[in-house]
Amino acid sequence: MKRSLEVDTLRGIACVLLVLFHVVGDTPSVGLRIPEGHWLQVFNEALAYIRMPLFSFISGYVYGFRPYQGNAPGFIKGKVRRLLLPLITVGTIFAVVQALTPGANNAVDRWWLLHIVPVGHFWFLEALFIVFLVVVLLEHFKALSTPAGFALAWALSAVLFDYFSPPNYFAAQGAVYLLPFFLAGLACKRFEISGPAARGIAAAVFICAATAAMLLPQYSEQGNSMAALGLGVCSAFLLLRSGWSSPRLAYVGSYSFAIYLLHVFFTAASRIVLKKIGVTDIYVLMVAGLAAGLAGPIVSALLISRSPGLNLWLLGTTSAGPKAKAKTAPA
């Protein structure tokens, strides 16, 4: 199945936002260790309304091209290979390297709970796996086959998003967080939601949610709030239905999985090396970290793809690599 330039452009945007997040850091104790209140840190925190919701929305939209067809063991086996193999291999390597590298952030301190308690950004893989299990169950009972059934399932996911916080073993909290965005992306594809009316409603909800986020920060700053849900769903929908595409961003987006998995190795290395040679300007460090976090995984993916074994265990696939120039349905 060929790729979509528009969808890969969205993936590229999501990759840039993700890498920027880990370069800058969300607190003064991580990343570039920027002082509290600096505009870069404030901007980075504001992007939380878009960053991971966009990744999840895209996942649901792409799933809509090749949905579950009734072979639960085969479907789940594919997701184990794609999501959990890289989690175990790359996630464990990351935890070990982080623990042994001077100047790295957030080393694991309870090794007996490795991956039971999510490690760093790898929570997304565990959470997305749970989301797929939930979606398979919903598909089995035909709960997502009609607009009415889908709306009910999405409303329930939204209630859980706002009010339910399970113990965060195996990224259960992350699954609750991602599910409504994933379902929104799937609905967008399954029911072909588009057109001026849908975009107008999304824009209005986005404005209302943004206003609530500014006027009621004590509620909206929480990751799981109705304002956060509205901002995440509507921003992803508006970006997708804008029809905008960029070949350069699409090229980055075609390597989104490798970038998600591997970018932290290169952003941290860039920061540590530059600081060792006396570079302290935060903007130089930011640009260098962003470039390293995007380019490093792409080069790594190209090298890894030469070995089917490494490709399987590190990237969860046996394909030779993405081709981002096609403009039809996404892989």
Side-chain angles (χ1 to χ4, degrees):
M1 184 178 289
K2 295 181 180 180
R3 306 187 70 95
S4 163
L5 192 64
E6 290 80 10
V7 172
D8 276 337
T9 297
L10 291 193
R11 284 184 170 126
I13 293 171
C15 287
V16 170
L17 297 181
L18 176 71
V19 175
L20 182 66
F21 170 73
H22 284 118
V23 169
V24 174
D26 59 339
T27 68
S29 62
V30 299
L32 296 179
R33 294 178 168 84
I34 296 175
E36 189 75 36
H38 191 283
W39 77 268
L40 268 179
Q41 190 184 65
V42 174
F43 179 69
N44 206 29
E45 290 176 356
L47 291 175
Y49 291 113
I50 301 173
R51 193 164 40 237
M52 299 314 298
L54 182 56
F55 268 112
S56 188
F57 184 96
I58 295 169
S59 297
Y61 185 80
V62 172
Y63 163 79
F65 284 89
R66 292 193 297 184
Y68 171 71
Q69 298 292 336
N71 179 12
F75 183 88
I76 294 171
K77 180 181 177 181
K79 297 309 175 186
V80 168
R81 183 200 69 201
R82 183 58 166 161
L83 298 172
L84 300 190
L85 271 186
L87 165 71
I88 294 169
T89 53
V90 181
T92 301
I93 292 169
F94 167 77
V96 172
V97 170
Q98 192 181 49
L100 297 177
T101 303
N105 298 314
N106 299 324
V108 174
D109 57 358
R110 294 184 293 173
W111 289 92
W112 62 93
L113 294 177
L114 184 68
H115 302 310
I116 297 174
V117 174
V119 175
H121 65 293
F122 294 95
W123 69 267
F124 180 77
L125 304 181
E126 294 179 88
L128 189 58
F129 182 77
I130 296 174
V131 166
F132 277 118
L133 295 181
V134 172
V135 169
V136 165
L137 187 64
L138 292 172
E139 297 275 44
H140 176 76
F141 288 106
K142 309 297 183 183
L144 305 179
S145 299
T146 65
F150 207 111
L152 180 61
W154 188 86
L156 178 59
S157 77
V159 171
L160 293 174
F161 176 91
D162 198 33
Y163 295 106
F164 181 56
S165 181
N168 199 32
Y169 296 115
F170 301 105
Q173 289 180 10
V176 171
Y177 177 78
L178 295 180
L179 182 59
F181 302 112
F182 184 99
L183 290 177
L186 173 56
C188 190
K189 174 66 184 76
R190 180 159 294 180
F191 303 113
E192 296 298 337
I193 301 173
S194 60
R199 291 196 297 271
I201 292 171
V205 173
F206 180 89
I207 292 171
C208 292
T211 302
M214 290 185 290
L215 297 181
L216 302 169
Q218 67 272 30
Y219 301 109
S220 58
E221 284 179 0
Q222 302 171 23
N224 296 50
S225 66
M226 286 295 108
L229 183 58
L231 285 169
V233 169
C234 294
S235 60
F237 174 79
L238 291 169
L239 283 169
L240 175 67
R241 291 312 188 200
S242 72
W244 178 71
S245 64
S246 162
R248 292 181 180 178
L249 277 173
Y251 180 77
V252 170
S254 69
Y255 289 92
S256 59
F257 194 66
I259 291 171
Y260 193 92
L261 287 172
L262 303 173
H263 72 277
V264 287
F265 295 100
F266 297 95
T267 56
S270 168
R271 182 184 70 248
I272 292 169
V273 169
L274 288 176
K275 285 189 173 182
K276 286 285 187 182
I277 62 176
V279 177
T280 58
D281 186 274
I282 60 172
Y283 299 105
V284 173
L285 292 171
M286 181 185 70
V287 172
L290 182 60
L294 296 173
I298 292 175
V299 173
S300 298
L302 291 171
L303 295 174
I304 291 169
S305 67
R306 297 180 179 181
S307 167
L310 287 177
N311 213 26
L312 175 62
W313 282 93
L314 297 180
L315 298 180
T317 181
T318 56
S319 63
K323 295 180 181 180
K325 294 183 180 180
K327 297 186 179 181
T328 54

